[in-house]
Amino acid sequence: MAEKASKIETATRLSRNLALLNAGSNITIDIATPAGQKNKFRTTFIGYLPKQYVLVQFPDSSKLGNFSQYIKQGTAVTVRGLIEGHEGAIVAFVSVVKQTLQLPSRIMVLDFPHTVSLHQLRSAIRIDTNIIGKVKIDDLYWNTTITDLSISGCHLDVANGEKLVLAEDKDVEIVVEGVEGTGNIKLIGRICNLKQLSSGVSFGVKFNSNCKEQVVDLLNYALTESAE
């Protein structure tokens, strides 16, 4: 059973857990317009001063579009980032824009949050993804889409992969190319729960235990890629 997110009180443990989110870490911010339109943007966590404020880099202006006008004092922002522990965790909190700065760069100053949710990346917690990659089965590479991801495994869709219906229990290598800051990510695992679809096949992959570092890199990519 998935472990529920735990609420952590600001006055006692929030600062310590925010400290695990290193300066320069990739994060996503969720912004909603007054009309209810929502979007996610990838940006960078700068740092914080306990009980006072959190500093976040403005997202790339070319990605913000019309949402740039809504990043102003009083706007509610949800922040999510990946921190690394024994298995990794996602930390998330809701805050409000306190002010914006133009120098030394475009920075959002957020009110220091009252609570933070810490989601452990256990095997039962999966992140919905749409990551394009390749999967190597029997020395042949197939184009694939990673549709969800967890610390222990993932789910793949392979279009026109009808020839793979007998591939259950086979070892595979998954390659995601050109990940920012990491390069190519390679994961080794074994196929399970293979199903034939009208458009191809879908199957789960259980990762080998020795590729946990690469899985955390891919989870970090998955967390931020959706905000591109």
Side-chain angles (χ1 to χ4, degrees):
M1 180 178 293
E3 181 176 316
K4 293 182 178 180
S6 55
K7 292 289 186 179
I8 300 169
E9 292 301 322
T10 302
T12 55
R13 296 175 57 195
L14 177 54
S15 293
R16 186 180 69 186
N17 283 275
L18 272 181
L20 297 175
L21 192 60
N22 296 327
S25 296
N26 290 327
I27 58 173
T28 60
I29 60 171
D30 292 18
I31 300 173
T33 70
Q37 186 181 6
K38 298 180 180 180
N39 210 339
K40 295 181 180 181
F41 301 97
R42 181 177 181 173
T43 187
T44 303
F45 179 77
I46 298 175
Y48 68 95
L49 192 62
K51 300 183 181 180
Q52 295 192 44
Y53 55 77
V54 175
L55 300 180
V56 172
Q57 190 77 26
F58 258 79
D60 188 329
S61 58
S62 66
K63 304 289 178 59
L64 274 175
N66 292 334
F67 273 82
S68 61
Q69 65 184 303
Y70 300 112
I71 301 181
K72 58 185 179 181
Q73 186 175 8
T75 298
V77 177
T78 301
V79 178
R80 294 183 178 88
L82 186 72
I83 59 175
E84 293 187 24
H86 295 293
E87 293 185 333
I90 292 174
V91 62
F93 60 88
V94 177
S95 184
V96 174
V97 176
K98 193 171 186 176
Q99 68 180 100
T100 60
L101 305 176
Q102 301 298 321
L103 295 173
S105 62
R106 298 191 71 196
I107 295 172
M108 301 165 58
V109 183
L110 307 179
D111 282 335
F112 198 74
H114 297 293
T115 59
V116 62
S117 295
L118 189 65
H119 303 265
Q120 297 294 334
L121 293 176
R122 302 294 175 86
S123 59
I125 297 179
R126 289 183 174 266
I127 301 172
D128 290 334
T129 62
N130 187 35
I131 299 173
I132 304 301
K134 295 181 180 179
V135 58
K136 183 181 179 182
I137 305 172
D138 291 335
D139 295 323
L140 292 176
Y141 282 95
W142 300 77
N143 292 326
T144 188
T145 301
I146 303 174
T147 58
D148 65 44
L149 178 66
S150 76
I151 196 71
S152 63
C154 67
H155 188 275
L156 303 180
D157 284 353
V158 178
N160 302 316
E162 292 81 2
K163 293 181 180 179
L164 300 176
V165 293
L166 300 178
E168 189 149 359
D169 294 327
K170 288 189 175 182
D171 292 330
V172 297
E173 177 184 279
I174 302 169
V175 180
V176 179
E177 299 177 338
V179 176
E180 183 178 348
T182 303
N184 294 351
I185 293 178
K186 294 184 179 181
L187 302 169
I188 306 299
R190 180 173 288 268
I191 293 176
C192 54
N193 301 322
L194 191 147
K195 296 180 180 179
Q196 187 168 6
L197 307 174
S198 59
S199 58
V201 295
S202 69
F203 52 85
V205 173
K206 181 176 176 59
F207 297 137
N208 287 3
S209 59
N210 60 357
C211 57
K212 184 176 293 183
E213 182 177 345
Q214 291 84 354
V215 176
V216 170
D217 285 340
L218 191 57
L219 282 164
N220 192 19
Y221 175 70
L223 180 67
T224 58
E225 180 66 10
S226 63
E228 287 288 353

